[in-house]
Each structure stands twice: as C-alpha cells, then as structure tokens.
Amino acid sequence: MIIDEAPGIVASPERIDAWMEVAKPGDRFVYASRLSLPAASKGAAHMRALAKRGLVALTQARSKVDPAIFHYCAQRTPAATALTRPTRPKLAVTPAVLADGEAAVVDALLPVLERFARHGRPCPTDKQLAARAKLTEDGVKAGLAALAASHLIRVQKVSAPTLRRIIIVATGQITGLAA
C-alpha cells in the first residue's frame, strides 16, 4: 500500500496514472489523507472516473493516528486498461528429434536438393534423389520428412511431371523455377 506523504494534498491525475501503469489487481493507493475531498479536485475527479470505468474500487477509512482525517484509498481491480500490457503466451520451439542414422541421410540429401534449387531445376523423383545421394528410396522419403520437420525445407505439391516443389528455407531457393 502506498500512503500519501503529504497530508491535505490530493494526488494529481499524472501521479494516479503512474500508479495505474504499475498497479496489479489488489494493489492499494492512498491518493489523499484529509478531512474531506474537495469537489473541484482534479485528482479526486480522475479517481471517480476510473471507478466509474470499473478500474478501481474507492474506499475511505479514518486515520488511526488522527480520527478527524480520512484516508481515501483506491484498490486496483482486475479490469484491463489501455495501459495494461497484454500477456502473450511464450512460444516454444520443439527441436526435431533425428533418429539414428537420420542425420547422415539429411547430410546426404540436402546438398543434392540445394543444387537443384540453385539452378531452378525441377525437383527430382525419389528414385533420382536416391541415386544421387546414394540412399534407398525409403531413406529418401524419411530424409525429406526429417528435413521438413526440422524446417530446413518446405515441400509444395504441384502438378505433373514433378508433383512437388522444394523450397530451401535458408536461402529461399526453389526447385522447378528458372533462376
């Protein structure tokens, strides 16, 4: 709880806004300690406007030191304001888990795909990729899936004769497009 250090003075709208910027739901602020609030006070009017919008709950309590003085308090409610920073969920990247031997398949397959993409040549078939990378056709399918899962390539379906287009994510080069 923040207590006004100058009895008899009502907090200014700027000071109230500064408190609202950092206040969390449940935080309390004594914006005046005095006998009564002046009707023309800008700070009191600002607090009433915040209460009307549901951003604060206003209370007053007698001072325990001097019963003739009231502490005028505002308690922050959970309602959001334009000053409240939005809470966004943190994004987490899950690394692709490569099975045993899959890294070697990726290392053999990616340079072949990069060469085809660099020159804008059509994407080779699984059989052609297997011959160039010295892999089996099943190894090529698993390798393409691993490359896509680890976000090294993107595979687009296209019409015949190639049926797919490979985009190398690191360079932006694409198979099947003239350079």
Side-chain angles (χ1 to χ4, degrees):
M1 177 165 80
I2 299 173
I3 296 179
D4 191 3
E5 68 276 355
I9 298 177
V10 180
S12 67
E14 293 79 21
R15 185 166 176 201
I16 293 168
D17 285 340
W19 172 73
M20 284 293 292
E21 228 176 288
V22 296
K24 294 175 179 48
D27 286 354
R28 294 183 62 208
F29 175 59
V30 178
Y31 63 96
S33 293
R34 48 187 300 134
L35 187 60
S36 65
L37 275 178
S41 167
K42 291 181 182 177
H46 192 60
M47 274 298 187
R48 285 190 295 272
L50 292 173
K52 189 174 182 181
R53 291 175 42 203
L55 301 174
V56 295
L58 301 179
T59 59
Q60 65 185 36
R62 287 204 183 269
S63 170
K64 291 183 172 122
V65 177
D66 184 2
I69 293 186
F70 286 99
H71 291 303
Y72 293 90
C73 300
Q75 185 169 5
R76 182 71 173 90
T77 63
T81 70
L83 300 174
T84 308
R85 288 186 176 179
T87 54
R88 295 184 176 105
K90 294 206 176 215
L91 298 176
V93 176
T94 54
V97 179
L98 296 178
D100 292 337
E102 208 170 55
V105 171
V106 167
D107 289 341
L109 198 54
L110 188 58
V112 173
L113 291 170
E114 286 175 335
R115 273 194 308 274
F116 274 85
R118 188 175 325 119
H119 298 292
R121 295 179 58 204
C123 183
T125 64
D126 288 350
K127 187 175 184 177
Q128 292 168 332
L129 281 172
R132 289 186 182 262
K134 297 179 176 65
L135 300 170
T136 65
E137 284 187 50
D138 290 336
V140 168
K141 288 179 184 171
L144 288 174
L147 285 166
S150 58
H151 303 290
L152 294 172
I153 66 168
R154 278 187 286 172
V155 181
Q156 291 180 336
K157 294 184 187 248
V158 294
S159 59
T162 60
L163 301 178
R164 68 177 169 218
R165 185 174 291 147
I166 303 287
I167 302 168
I168 309 298
V169 173
T171 62
Q173 295 172 331
I174 306 171
T175 62
L177 296 179

